[in-house]
Amino acid sequence: DLAAKSPLKLVSIPAGSFTMGTNTGYDDEKPVHKVTLTKPFYMGATEVTQAQWKAVMGSNPSRFKGDDLPVECVSWNDCVEFCIKLTETETAKGNLPADWEYRLPTEAEWEYCCRTGATTDYCFGDDESRLGEYAWFDENSGKKAHPVGTKRPNAWGLYEIGRAHV
């Protein structure tokens, strides 16, 4: 089982369909359309921690330091490189099938994970006042990083991923 062998805590996400996008907000969230993900996949239960990043990359670029804090101050390319190195390491150890890889989720996979089957703005409903139970953001973070996995998980066991379209 990949989830048991991975250095990241992984959650199995089922295949399925959902309505992606919104008619409110930013133009890049339009138009609303149906998306079907035909294969199940794994998703990290939390953001990558600084300890996990350092174990793979050998350094910690984060401004706010702490092993259980999410890594920050990294680019998309840095994250791709992390995935490549993690894939190489875990394949060499025999923990990852040769035809599998760690990678960043697609936009559709990310939104699907945020929604968890919900048709509301948030995985927990439309009541924005509950967002602080599920996610860190400007109004509740004190403008600093917080340890991963400290908010309520969504229905699929993913942490700090409360908004369906951001």
Side-chain angles (χ1 to χ4, degrees):
D1 179 17
L2 176 63
K5 294 179 181 179
S6 176
L8 308 178
K9 183 178 179 190
L10 299 177
V11 175
S12 180
I13 306 299
S17 297
F18 71 106
T19 302
M20 184 173 175
T22 180
N23 286 322
T24 61
Y26 299 103
D27 285 341
D28 64 352
E29 295 175 345
K30 300 172 185 174
V32 173
H33 58 285
K34 186 171 183 166
V35 172
T36 299
L37 300 173
T38 59
K39 296 179 181 178
F41 59 97
Y42 286 97
M43 182 80 159
T46 67
E47 296 169 279
V48 172
T49 67
Q50 292 175 31
Q52 292 164 333
W53 184 274
K54 189 171 181 181
V56 173
M57 302 300 282
S59 63
N60 180 4
S62 299
R63 183 174 141 219
F64 300 103
K65 301 291 187 190
D67 284 350
D68 60 346
L69 297 179
V71 69
E72 24 98 8
C73 297
V74 292
S75 69
W76 184 86
N77 288 333
D78 294 335
C79 295
V80 169
E81 183 64 24
F82 172 85
C83 291
I84 290 169
K85 287 185 177 186
L86 182 59
T87 297
E88 291 170 352
T89 300
E90 292 302 300
T91 300
K93 289 180 181 178
N95 292 338
L96 188 67
D99 58 339
W100 287 37
E101 67 179 345
Y102 286 91
R103 62 173 176 77
L104 298 174
T106 66
E107 184 178 355
E109 288 168 338
W110 175 261
E111 189 167 329
Y112 182 62
C113 287
C114 289
R115 289 187 181 278
T116 64
T119 57
T120 54
D121 276 350
Y122 302 93
C123 66
F124 52 82
D126 287 320
D127 183 1
E128 188 173 339
S129 70
R130 294 189 57 214
L131 183 58
E133 297 173 34
Y134 292 86
W136 293 108
F137 53 98
D138 283 346
E139 287 80 16
N140 73 347
S141 68
K143 302 209 184 289
K144 65 178 185 172
H146 292 269
V148 303
T150 55
K151 293 292 184 173
R152 291 180 67 174
N154 70 16
W156 289 346
L158 302 173
Y159 291 83
E160 286 94 34
I161 184 173
R163 183 149 177 115
H165 42 84
V166 290

